[in-house]
């Protein structure tokens, strides 16, 4: 049994006898020294609402709608790439199947999903790339890109970094590439899955860890099951067998080294991340900020 699985099992037993229950479990599970695998996926930001209906529409609905449109555009691009690489039948293309399921979970219209699959043949040649960077305060950033022009995308990112306190440098050693299965905190019957139960299922499914986080796009709590890439499909299959509802699954870069930032640096990083995610070629951004 691996160190992490022994840790999970130890805390599982501790949880069962804990008088304070789920809240204590959450504090322990998120202890930075014991659970280093925390990935941040930046998809949207919600500005403060004003004092009237128009302010709420302007400052909340507008940004959320814009973020959703960007998300749909990026899912469309990823679906087209998946079709080109593995065919248009999700039953024989696992990557496409996962993307279609993710699009459905994000309430992407069925017609848009079908149009993306059918339009793959007409799409421009696209390549996958990683851009590594150091942000304000010394934080590390890994930026996943799908682009038809790598030089252009890299140039645009370099310009953004230079103007906002960042620089292009190698930071891959600060991350581990892991398999991640994201699921809802309710099972397929609509019953809540408590953290203690989620941890128990992680052990049974062969996952290394499970973390309760918030989906910034949907503003809902989610569970992230972390495992080796080689066991990703098996873990996902087991979790479905246990009645959990998957949102997405795939490889992610999770920090092995984290940094603490001052409030000033956090504001600068937040601004930089907003600019980066606005780039049409950027798919996901990972950081190592505590």
């Amino acid at each position: 049994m691996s160190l992490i699985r022994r840790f999970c099992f130890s805390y599982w037993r501790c949880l069962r006898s804990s008088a304070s229950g789920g809240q204590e479990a959450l504090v322990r599970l998120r202890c930075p020294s014991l659970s280093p695998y925390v990935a941040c996926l930046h998809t949207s930001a919600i500005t403060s609402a004003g004092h009237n209906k128009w302010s709420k529409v302007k400052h909340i609905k507008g940004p959320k709608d814009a973020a959703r449109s960007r998300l749909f555009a990026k899912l469309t691009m990823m679906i087209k790439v998946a079709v080109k690489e593995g065919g248009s039948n999700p039953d024989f293309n696992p990557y496409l199947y996962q993307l279609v399921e993710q699009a459905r979970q994000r309430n992407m219209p069925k017609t848009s999903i079908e149009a993306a699959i059918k339009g793959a043949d007409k799409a421009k040649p696209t390549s996958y790339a990683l851009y590594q960077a150091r942000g304000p305060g010394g934080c590390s950033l890994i930026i996943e890109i799908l682009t038809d022009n790598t030089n252009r995308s890299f140039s645009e990112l370099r310009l953004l970094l230079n103007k906002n306190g960042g620089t292009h440098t190698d930071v891959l050693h600060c991350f581990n590439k892991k398999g991640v299965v994201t699921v809802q905190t309710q099972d397929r019957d609509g019953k809540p899955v408590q953290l203690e139960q989620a941890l128990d299922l992680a052990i049974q499914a062969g996952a290394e860890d499970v973390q309760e986080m918030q989906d910034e796009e949907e503003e809902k709590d989610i569970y992230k099951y972390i495992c080796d890439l080689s066991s990703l499909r098996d873990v996902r299959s087991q979790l479905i067998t246990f009645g959990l509802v998957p949102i997405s699954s795939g490889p992610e870069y999770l920090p092995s080294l984290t940094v603490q930032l001052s409030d000033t640096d956090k504001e600068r990083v937040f601004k930089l991340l907003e600019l980066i995610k606005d780039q049409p070629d950027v798919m996901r951004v990972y950081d190592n900020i505590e």
Side-chain angles (χ1 to χ4, degrees):
M1 184 180 291
S2 67
L3 177 61
I4 294 179
R5 290 189 66 186
R6 288 200 303 269
F7 158 69
C8 288
F9 183 70
S10 174
Y11 270 91
W12 173 75
R13 290 188 302 174
C14 184
L15 284 169
R16 294 181 66 89
S17 61
S18 172
S20 55
Q23 183 64 30
E24 182 179 347
L26 182 57
V27 172
R28 291 182 177 180
L29 189 60
R30 286 182 173 173
C31 176
S33 62
L34 294 176
S35 182
Y37 302 116
V38 180
C40 296
L41 172 59
H42 299 272
T43 57
S44 66
I46 303 175
T47 55
S48 299
H51 298 288
N52 55 54
K53 182 176 180 180
W54 169 245
S55 295
K56 292 181 180 179
V57 172
K58 179 180 178 183
H59 295 297
I60 297 180
K61 188 176 186 301
K64 288 183 69 175
D65 287 348
R68 187 175 294 272
S69 296
R70 288 194 298 268
L71 176 63
F72 287 172
K74 293 174 182 182
L75 282 170
T76 297
M77 184 185 299
M78 295 169 73
I79 288 173
K80 290 180 178 180
V81 171
V83 171
K84 281 190 172 183
E85 292 181 350
S88 60
N89 189 340
D91 294 334
F92 300 101
N93 186 341
Y95 181 47
L96 175 60
Y97 176 81
Q98 293 172 9
L99 287 172
V100 170
E101 287 299 307
Q102 184 176 353
R104 289 172 177 167
Q105 290 290 338
R106 300 295 186 181
N107 297 318
M108 186 173 177
K110 181 179 179 181
T111 53
S112 299
I113 298 174
E114 293 174 348
I117 295 175
K118 293 178 180 179
D121 294 337
K122 300 179 181 179
K124 295 180 180 179
T126 306
S127 60
Y128 171 85
L130 283 182
Y131 192 91
Q132 304 174 55
R134 190 81 68 186
C139 65
S140 300
L141 306 175
I142 291 183
I143 306 166
E144 286 187 332
I145 301 171
L146 278 179
T147 178
D148 58 357
N149 189 326
T150 304
N151 291 333
R152 182 203 65 221
S153 299
F154 278 18
S155 178
E156 291 173 350
L157 287 173
R158 189 178 298 111
L159 181 61
L160 285 179
L161 288 163
N162 291 340
K163 288 184 176 181
N164 294 275
T167 182
H168 177 44
T169 187
D170 181 15
V171 297
L172 199 58
H173 61 280
C174 298
F175 296 82
N176 292 318
K177 193 174 184 180
K178 290 287 185 177
V180 176
V181 183
T182 304
V183 304
Q184 297 179 9
T185 54
Q186 294 180 330
D187 63 20
R188 58 171 167 254
D189 296 324
K191 297 179 180 178
V193 179
Q194 302 300 326
L195 186 59
E196 178 181 355
Q197 181 184 358
L199 180 56
D200 187 17
L201 295 178
I203 298 172
Q204 295 181 49
E208 297 176 353
D209 198 3
V210 60
Q211 294 158 359
E212 185 179 41
M213 306 182 73
Q214 186 175 65
D215 186 326
E216 296 180 12
E217 176 66 26
E218 300 295 332
E219 298 181 13
K220 295 180 180 179
D221 289 336
I222 56 174
Y223 288 131
K224 282 197 169 187
Y225 286 85
I226 300 165
C227 61
D228 287 331
L229 276 174
S230 60
S231 60
L232 176 61
R233 180 176 295 185
D234 291 338
V235 170
R236 183 180 186 276
S237 178
Q238 285 292 322
L239 293 175
I240 292 175
T241 301
F242 297 150
L244 299 185
V245 182
I247 299 173
S248 64
S249 62
E252 292 189 14
Y253 290 92
L254 308 182
S256 55
L257 299 172
T258 57
V259 296
Q260 291 183 335
L261 300 182
S262 65
D263 291 341
T264 300
D265 284 335
K266 285 181 180 178
E267 291 180 4
R268 296 173 65 199
V269 171
F270 178 80
K271 177 184 177 182
L272 175 58
L273 290 173
E274 286 295 286
L275 293 171
I276 290 174
K277 73 179 181 63
D278 281 342
Q279 297 299 305
D281 297 336
V282 173
M283 295 296 105
R284 289 183 292 188
V285 184
Y286 304 96
D287 65 60
N288 69 336
I289 303 170
E290 287 188 7

